[in-house]
Amino acid sequence: MTSAEYVDQLGVRRLPPRTCPLDPGYDPDSVVSHLGQSGHLMNSLKLSTAGWLIADEESTRRKFAAARAHGVATVTGGTPFEVAVHQNLLPEYLDVCAQLGADRIECARGFTEPDLSPEEIVGMAAGRGLGMDVELGGKHSGAFTPGVV
């Protein structure tokens, strides 16, 4: 009997991928192994912090490629977006994300307020083949209100 057959006998229903694990800068072999073991459970993989930007580029590319090979979408964390906005380098940041193979970027406003409209930012991302995840609210603004949502 396989483990899957046993879990079926337990009555555990099979669900589509729903998890979004966070890579805070693990080594590529660990990320590749995690995708091999649990990629079937993942809705996406978030490459968080700016670690993927300052790591060896080939290591970062391996992570994006492994996720793609396992059918797992990738999303970059919101902090690098905020840094790019603050430094007026958003187009360049989006170019890097697209060239590395990211599927989506996270747009955050925790510490910055873009001068661009949401439509402009969405258009810039879409023009590079990137989707978006949007972080609701600010880092220090308290609980969400219906208006924020």
Side-chain angles (χ1 to χ4, degrees):
M1 174 179 290
T2 67
S3 59
E5 291 168 336
Y6 175 70
V7 171
D8 285 343
Q9 284 188 353
L10 288 173
V12 177
R13 64 188 175 110
R14 295 184 188 215
L15 298 172
R18 296 214 173 147
T19 64
C20 179
L22 173 74
D23 169 24
Y26 295 127
D27 64 282
D29 289 338
S30 294
V31 173
V32 170
S33 179
H34 189 188
L35 284 158
Q37 173 182 297
S38 303
H40 66 287
L41 302 172
M42 297 178 193
N43 183 323
S44 62
L45 173 67
K46 182 176 178 180
L47 281 81
S48 191
T49 73
W52 60 273
L53 280 169
I54 61 173
D56 172 73
E57 187 169 318
E58 186 54 37
S59 295
T60 298
R61 287 182 183 280
R62 279 185 59 206
K63 292 178 182 185
F64 282 112
R68 192 170 32 262
H70 288 280
V72 176
T74 53
V75 61
T76 60
T79 300
F81 172 85
E82 291 182 272
V83 170
V85 167
H86 182 73
Q87 295 294 330
N88 294 314
L89 292 171
L90 185 57
E92 293 82 356
Y93 170 70
L94 296 174
D95 288 342
V96 168
C97 290
Q99 291 168 4
L100 288 173
D103 293 299
R104 300 190 310 264
I105 60 164
E106 180 181 64
C107 298
R109 300 184 349 197
F111 301 107
T112 61
E113 194 61 46
D115 290 333
L116 301 166
S117 72
E119 294 81 8
E120 290 173 302
I121 295 171
V122 169
M124 291 170 68
R128 291 162 173 84
L130 297 167
M132 300 176 69
D133 287 359
V134 178
E135 181 180 81
L136 293 179
K139 300 271 190 269
H140 307 288
S141 58
F144 294 153
T145 65
V148 169
V149 175

